[in-house]
Amino acid sequence: MDKSSAKGRINELVSIIEKHNYKYYVLSQPEISDYDFDMLLEELIRLEKDYPEFISPNSPTQKVGGDISKEFQQVEHLFPMLSLGNTYSEEEIREFDKRTKKLLHNDPEYVCELKYDGVSISITYENGKFVKAVTRGDGTKGDDVTQNVKTIKVLPHLLHGDNIPELLEIRGEIYYPHNGFNKLNEERIKNGEAPFANPRNAASGTVKTLDSSIVAKRPLSCFIYYLMSHEDSFISHYEKLESLKSWGLPVSNDIKVCKAIDEVLQYIQDWDTKRQQLPYDIDGIVIKVNASKDQLALGMTAKSPRWAIAYKFKAERVKTKLLSISYQVGRTGAITPVANLEAVQLAGTTVKRASLHNADIIDQLNLHIGDSVYVEKGGEIIPKIVGIAIEDREADSNVVNFISHCPECNTVLVRKEGEAAHYCPNEDGCPPQIKGKLEHFISRNALNIDSLGEGKIEMLFDNNLVRTPSDLYLLTYDSLIGLEKTFKAEEGKKERKVSFKDKTVKNILQGIQNSKEVPFERVLFGLGIRHIGRTVAKKLAKNFKTIDQLLIADHESLITIDEIGDKIANSLIEWSTKEEHKKLINDLKPYLQFEMEESDTVAASSKLQDKGFVISGKFELARDAIKNEIEINGGRNLSSISSKTDYLLAGEKIGPSKLAKAEKLGIKIISYEEYKEMLK
């Protein structure tokens, strides 16, 4: 076979195999036998081996995996991955309907869908080709798991059909079917490995596996439930779903268009019963306003769309015995009481512990050791005690009194006015707090010393090498090489041994060296000052420019900054007045960035002073560069269009929904050229 013929046959086989994959995995309507399918796949593998120059990254042969990642890269979503508001009551669903009708001045249609219990995923197709798969992450950025997700049989590498947008981002849920999950756990137990607790954990763990060939061997599946594109001309959500299905994507057949809220509630009631018969887990129903124009009119909040809501099925409840209470100390010193229970099965998992949150919860429950307690899973994830069987209580049982001293360092606990939690004030001498602060310091959004993860901080602490962040910069090759520790097995897991060999030590030292270039705002966040998160740290760094100026700032100057209130100001002042913290800053100064870069501190102008911009579409210049330019000229970057927006900066292929909303609110729409004119 010559090259031309081989290329033609490879393309033909790719198309045929993708069609049969769709028929088999999505429609459950196979047209050929397994043997015939295997013969087609073997022919394709053979031809690609002989003519590797014709292998496409979207070939069905790539579904077997094989790429091994050292780590997952962070990738920005084309469109933010928002979350849905949740409810557990019929009354709140009716309230959602009333609110929607009032805002729209009409009676909307709703689309009801099953709420799959798995892992959210965002997949990008360009010109019909699968190019990227990204986890939810923080909603703005997630982990690039493309090679793993490409192995999922139901997801086509190539879309087929009419009117496929040039660029589209779809959202879906990756799940583990019950049959495959049970087989997986049987194999793990047989091999002496800990079984997964539930299908959701198995799906999550599989998607984040570094070897895609392992992912390919596990029967993950996926349902697609949403489409976004700059070329969005669909009149309804249901039309989008039908189009997705026609292009070969796995869309559930259990979707229903409802004309009234009573139909929605009937759908919920039906599936609350029928869900037990499904071959996969669902934990609720998602209700979406159908018409695109209505979705546009309702808009979004910062976290979720106003045109959708999720109804969560009520959690399963079981009764068991309270054996004892233990207390955990967090990074900030907050004390969390944990109930130790007689083992019981709940929602498919064995539960032995439940969070009690704080002293008020214990008092409200009037807990006694030995009580028979009712346990639920909050949102079907975290076990919690929701009640007591008083009739079962023994007459001589002892009431649970919250501890008065830290269980780790024996310091007297404090509880600040207006706060629910008790705290250990010994933040610089309490072991769990020290380790927690060190782990926060090296975390991705702070100093990003990822080579020190997976228990290595604990090893350094146990060997008296590190007590404060500044100690990290005194570590040497000789002080690290040869360290070892065997970590006790958590429940259901095998024990783990960590050794500091040559490569590990060099990676740690290089990670510490790289952290010296981290900008001031992330260093400030990494210090772990209570109530100062990433956004607040950025605002403080931008306003005060240097750590020295920030640490002498008084209450009045702090609260004049947007979004900085009494709680944050008081926390910062209290932290900065302690001698041990002043010493920490002085010890870190030779190594880290404690002032803003000149390009960030010097304003180019005030030409955009207090003007709010939303940027949408494609530009020749990177969006981050444009956003930075807006800020240094006095402007504000906004995430969504609202009455606070002054300008919509429109690039190529901007979505019609943003344009329509800007026009509706009377917001000025400008091109990049017009924006540059504003700066002249």
Side-chain angles (χ1 to χ4, degrees):
M1 184 180 290
D2 60 26
K3 278 194 172 186
S4 178
S5 300
K7 183 179 181 181
R9 180 57 177 162
I10 286 172
N11 290 338
E12 182 183 22
L13 285 168
V14 167
S15 179
I16 293 170
I17 292 170
E18 280 288 4
K19 182 189 78 170
H20 288 303
N21 265 331
Y22 178 68
K23 291 280 188 181
Y24 184 91
Y25 290 106
V26 180
L27 301 181
S28 297
Q29 298 171 357
E31 291 183 346
I32 61 175
S33 68
D34 288 353
Y35 175 81
D36 290 337
F37 180 86
D38 290 341
M39 291 302 100
L40 290 170
L41 190 59
E42 279 188 23
E43 183 186 354
L44 179 59
I45 292 170
R46 189 169 59 252
L47 283 171
E48 288 183 341
K49 184 178 180 182
D50 293 340
Y51 300 92
E53 64 269 34
F54 299 137
I55 298 176
S56 162
N58 293 307
S59 168
T61 60
Q62 303 305 299
K63 289 185 183 290
V64 300
D67 288 348
I68 299 178
S69 305
K70 292 184 179 179
E71 60 181 10
F72 295 107
Q73 298 296 317
Q74 285 273 295
V75 176
E76 189 168 346
H77 296 294
L78 293 176
F79 304 88
M81 282 190 83
L82 303 179
S83 56
L84 294 178
N86 291 330
T87 179
Y88 292 86
S89 73
E90 176 182 322
E91 291 74 19
E92 289 188 11
I93 293 294
R94 290 192 181 278
E95 185 57 39
F96 168 76
D97 177 53
K98 288 179 185 176
R99 187 167 62 248
T100 301
K101 287 177 178 176
K102 184 177 179 181
L103 290 169
L104 293 177
H105 306 293
N106 65 37
D107 293 341
E109 278 187 342
Y110 296 107
V111 176
C112 290
E113 306 167 32
L114 306 183
K115 187 175 181 299
Y116 314 106
D117 194 13
V119 180
S120 296
I121 197 72
S122 174
I123 305 172
T124 302
Y125 283 85
E126 290 184 13
N127 298 313
K129 295 180 180 179
F130 187 134
V131 296
K132 193 181 298 176
V134 184
T135 62
R136 177 187 292 280
D138 62 5
T140 302
K141 293 180 179 179
D143 289 328
D144 186 336
V145 289
T146 303
Q147 295 308 317
N148 286 348
V149 175
K150 273 192 169 184
T151 68
I152 298 175
K153 303 290 192 299
V154 299
L155 292 171
H157 290 175
L158 298 167
L159 302 181
H160 300 281
D162 299 324
N163 303 316
I164 300 173
E166 182 181 329
L167 177 67
L168 73 153
E169 187 171 317
I170 58 174
R171 300 283 158 77
E173 194 85 358
I174 295 172
Y175 65 91
Y176 221 120
H178 293 159
N179 285 344
F181 172 72
N182 293 335
K183 287 179 183 177
L184 173 67
N185 269 352
E186 286 171 9
E187 289 174 8
R188 290 177 70 85
I189 292 168
K190 185 178 177 181
N191 296 331
E193 298 176 292
F196 283 107
N198 53 52
R200 183 201 303 130
N201 287 5
S204 177
T206 301
V207 167
K208 296 299 289 288
T209 299
L210 295 176
D211 186 346
S212 63
S213 66
I214 294 175
V215 183
K217 293 173 185 174
R218 295 184 179 175
L220 291 178
S221 197
C222 183
F223 279 121
I224 303 301
Y225 54 75
Y226 199 57
L227 176 157
M228 282 161 295
S229 170
H230 294 302
E231 305 168 47
D232 190 345
S233 59
F234 298 94
I235 63 170
S236 71
H237 175 61
Y238 188 76
E239 183 188 358
K240 288 183 181 182
L241 295 176
E242 289 296 295
S243 294
L244 288 167
K245 192 183 295 186
S246 72
W247 299 335
L249 288 156
V251 176
S252 172
N253 292 320
D254 295 313
I255 294 165
K256 182 178 180 181
V257 177
C258 299
K259 303 290 185 183
I261 200 65
D262 285 338
E263 287 184 54
V264 171
L265 294 170
Q266 186 61 52
Y267 182 92
I268 290 171
Q269 185 178 331
D270 291 345
W271 278 106
D272 197 3
T273 303
K274 291 193 295 183
R275 63 182 168 130
Q276 306 298 337
Q277 302 161 19
L278 288 169
Y280 48 82
D281 287 343
I282 65 171
D283 58 357
I285 300 296
V286 177
I287 302 107
K288 298 173 183 172
V289 172
N290 191 23
S292 297
K293 62 179 179 59
D294 289 345
Q295 290 186 3
L296 178 63
L298 291 166
M300 315 267 189
T301 68
K303 293 183 178 179
S304 58
R306 291 191 181 92
W307 42 264
I309 193 170
Y311 176 89
K312 300 289 287 288
F313 294 128
K314 288 185 173 62
E316 182 184 344
R317 174 184 289 196
V318 294
K319 187 165 81 168
T320 188
K321 187 175 182 178
L322 174 64
L323 302 177
S324 63
I325 305 287
S326 55
Y327 296 85
Q328 298 175 342
V329 185
R331 171 177 68 85
T332 62
I335 308 297
T336 302
V338 177
N340 300 304
L341 309 169
E342 200 169 81
V344 64
Q345 283 292 118
L346 175 61
T349 62
T350 301
V351 172
K352 293 184 179 180
R353 303 186 345 142
S355 174
L356 287 166
H357 301 292
N358 54 54
D360 290 343
I361 298 295
I362 292 175
D363 289 343
Q364 288 167 16
L365 290 167
N366 186 27
L367 279 177
H368 287 55
I369 299 298
D371 274 349
S372 291
V373 295
Y374 295 108
V375 181
E376 288 183 359
K377 279 196 173 181
E380 304 218 6
I381 298 173
I382 303 169
K384 62 179 180 180
I385 294 175
V386 295
I388 298 170
I390 295 292
E391 64 276 11
D392 295 344
R393 178 175 287 169
E394 299 289 340
D396 58 350
S397 63
N398 295 317
V399 68
V400 174
N401 292 309
F402 202 88
I403 57 174
S404 59
H405 290 68
C406 176
E408 297 288 341
C409 67
N410 206 37
T411 301
V412 176
L413 301 180
V414 298
R415 184 178 185 181
K416 294 185 178 180
E417 187 177 347
E419 295 193 15
H422 285 74
Y423 289 88
C424 169
N426 184 23
E427 61 176 305
D428 299 301
C430 183
Q433 293 190 66
I434 295 172
K435 287 186 277 189
K437 284 179 170 59
L438 288 167
E439 287 164 357
H440 174 75
F441 184 80
I442 68 165
S443 65
R444 175 182 288 176
N445 293 318
L447 279 293
N448 193 26
I449 313 176
D450 58 356
S451 52
L452 272 174
E454 299 180 345
K456 296 187 182 76
I457 284 292
E458 188 169 332
M459 291 174 67
L460 297 178
F461 181 87
D462 291 347
N463 284 277
N464 296 313
L465 290 172
V466 174
R467 282 292 183 275
T468 72
S470 59
D471 292 335
L472 292 169
Y473 299 91
L474 303 177
L475 295 173
T476 64
Y477 184 93
D478 290 339
S479 67
L480 296 175
I481 194 70
L483 292 181
E484 283 188 350
K485 178 168 182 175
T486 299
F487 290 85
K488 290 182 180 179
E490 295 178 24
E491 188 175 326
K493 295 184 179 180
K494 298 172 74 173
E495 68 178 21
R496 180 170 56 90
K497 185 176 182 179
V498 176
S499 302
F500 279 15
K501 297 180 181 178
D502 178 74
K503 187 175 180 181
T504 300
V505 172
K506 287 178 178 176
N507 286 340
I508 290 171
L509 294 175
Q510 186 59 53
I512 292 171
Q513 183 65 28
N514 294 344
S515 73
K516 296 177 181 180
E517 303 302 319
V518 166
F520 174 35
E521 63 196 56
R522 282 172 51 191
V523 175
L524 178 58
F525 171 64
L527 294 175
I529 304 171
R530 223 174 141 210
H531 303 309
I532 296 184
R534 290 166 59 192
T535 302
V536 169
K538 186 174 183 178
K539 286 180 180 292
L540 291 171
K542 185 177 178 181
N543 278 273
F544 290 95
K545 316 303 183 192
T546 72
I547 191 69
D548 292 332
Q549 291 298 314
L550 176 61
L551 296 184
I552 61 171
D554 58 21
H555 185 274
E556 186 177 347
S557 61
L558 286 167
I559 62 172
T560 58
I561 300 169
D562 185 34
E563 296 183 27
I564 306 296
D566 291 336
K567 184 185 288 187
I568 294 172
N570 292 337
S571 176
L572 178 61
I573 291 169
E574 182 182 342
W575 189 92
S576 61
T577 53
K578 291 188 176 182
E579 290 303 319
E580 52 267 44
H581 296 157
K582 292 178 183 178
K583 181 179 185 305
L584 172 64
I585 296 299
N586 287 329
D587 289 345
L588 285 171
K589 276 184 176 180
Y591 309 107
L592 299 180
Q593 307 292 323
F594 277 113
E595 60 182 55
M596 295 289 282
E597 293 288 332
E598 187 175 346
S599 59
D600 293 328
T601 59
V602 179
S605 76
S606 59
K607 292 178 180 177
L608 307 180
Q609 193 67 39
D610 297 328
K611 298 297 183 185
F613 287 80
V614 169
I615 304 173
S616 184
K618 286 189 172 182
F619 301 87
E620 289 184 11
L621 194 64
R623 282 198 197 184
D624 284 346
I626 299 174
K627 288 181 177 181
N628 184 58
E629 188 176 55
I630 288 171
E631 288 187 1
I632 65 173
N633 283 282
R636 295 176 294 116
N637 288 296
L638 307 174
S639 58
S640 60
I641 295 173
S642 68
S643 57
K644 296 180 180 179
T645 308
D646 295 292
Y647 298 100
L648 171 59
L649 178 50
E652 294 179 15
K653 298 182 180 178
I654 185 174
S657 59
K658 274 197 171 70
L659 290 171
K661 186 168 185 180
E663 289 170 356
K664 181 179 178 181
L665 294 174
I667 292 163
K668 189 168 183 179
I669 301 167
I670 60 173
S671 67
Y672 183 68
E673 289 71 25
E674 290 173 306
Y675 158 74
K676 294 302 286 186
E677 283 295 321
M678 294 171 69
L679 296 177
K680 285 186 179 178

